[in-house]
Amino acid sequence: MSARLRDFAIAFGRLLDTHPKESRILEEGGALLRGLVVRDDWLPDAFAKPHPERYQQYLLHLDAAGRFSVVSFVWGPGQATPVHDHTVWGLIGMLRGAEYSQAYRERDGQLMAEGAPVRLEPGHVEAVSPTVGDVHRVRNAYDDRVSISIHVYGADIGKVQRHTYPPGGGRKPFVSGYSRSQPSLPI
Ligand code: FE
């Protein structure tokens, strides 16, 4: 693990040691994440590798007590998530390239886009949670290059039971798992 990522994980763990309420996690944890993504010189290539068909989510760090996980999201050109929720708090920090996040809200039992999509540029941080808005769809802002964001969630997010929201309505159970990183072969 790079020193910058290790220092971030230690600082985030110390924040959670104080049993903060969610608003403090999003604010102070968001500031920690901004400090991590403001420089793009620490993410190992094995966790920055796009896949030609689908976006990748590599587990960078899992808190020993399972209180939080840190994931790199790697978008190939034009790739996007389905509309989905998280069920726990999450922080999204843009590291490289750019992405659009479109929020959705339920109105009269129908899921509707809420406002314009938010464009995240390197160093920007956004939050999701059942309190501040939990349903969105994210896509690479670029059709011709890779974008990468670093996500922190209040659980081992790859194992969390959550949902996608198909275009036809309703919701489907969803567990994201993690992508398998491919470390360089030993020589
Ligand atoms: Fe998300």
Side-chain angles (χ1 to χ4, degrees):
M1 191 197 291
S2 78
R4 277 173 64 72
L5 178 60
R6 189 190 58 224
D7 290 350
F8 170 80
I10 291 170
F12 214 100
R14 287 199 180 127
L15 169 62
L16 296 184
D17 286 344
T18 66
H19 302 287
K21 55 184 184 182
E22 184 185 282
S23 58
R24 238 189 92 211
I25 297 172
L26 299 185
E27 191 173 322
E28 295 181 24
L32 290 173
L33 180 58
R34 199 169 301 115
L36 179 68
V37 297
V38 79
R39 261 173 51 194
D40 181 10
D41 61 357
W42 55 269
L43 183 67
D45 288 346
F47 302 101
K49 211 173 162 344
H51 184 281
E53 280 148 35
R54 63 195 82 94
Y55 63 93
Q56 299 289 280
Q57 36 202 330
Y58 299 110
L59 180 63
L60 301 179
H61 174 75
L62 177 60
D63 175 55
R67 297 172 301 172
F68 69 100
S69 52
V70 185
V71 180
S72 64
F73 261 66
V74 182
W75 308 98
Q79 289 175 351
T81 67
V83 179
H84 65 277
D85 63 17
H86 311 84
T87 75
V88 294
W89 60 259
L91 288 160
I92 298 143
M94 204 71 216
L95 182 72
R96 193 178 302 173
E99 69 187 37
Y100 284 108
S101 173
Q102 173 66 62
Y104 288 82
R105 277 198 205 276
E106 209 161 310
R107 267 200 214 102
D108 307 324
Q110 195 115 28
L111 207 59
M112 313 273 275
E114 169 104 337
V118 174
R119 184 182 170 108
L120 294 185
E121 301 283 354
H124 289 184
V125 172
E126 216 204 13
V128 290
S129 85
T131 317
V132 300
D134 199 35
V135 181
H136 70 169
R137 177 176 184 268
V138 185
R139 64 181 169 91
N140 191 346
Y142 293 102
D143 288 329
D144 59 355
R145 58 183 278 202
V146 170
S147 293
I148 301 177
S149 50
I150 306 299
H151 300 207
V152 187
Y153 298 98
D156 182 355
I157 192 67
K159 294 185 179 160
V160 172
Q161 299 272 351
R162 43 199 182 122
H163 311 92
T164 59
Y165 296 78
R171 63 183 200 177
K172 279 169 47 181
F174 163 62
V175 178
S176 68
Y178 296 110
S179 308
R180 197 188 309 221
S181 64
Q182 307 208 320
S184 39
L185 293 168
I187 36 176

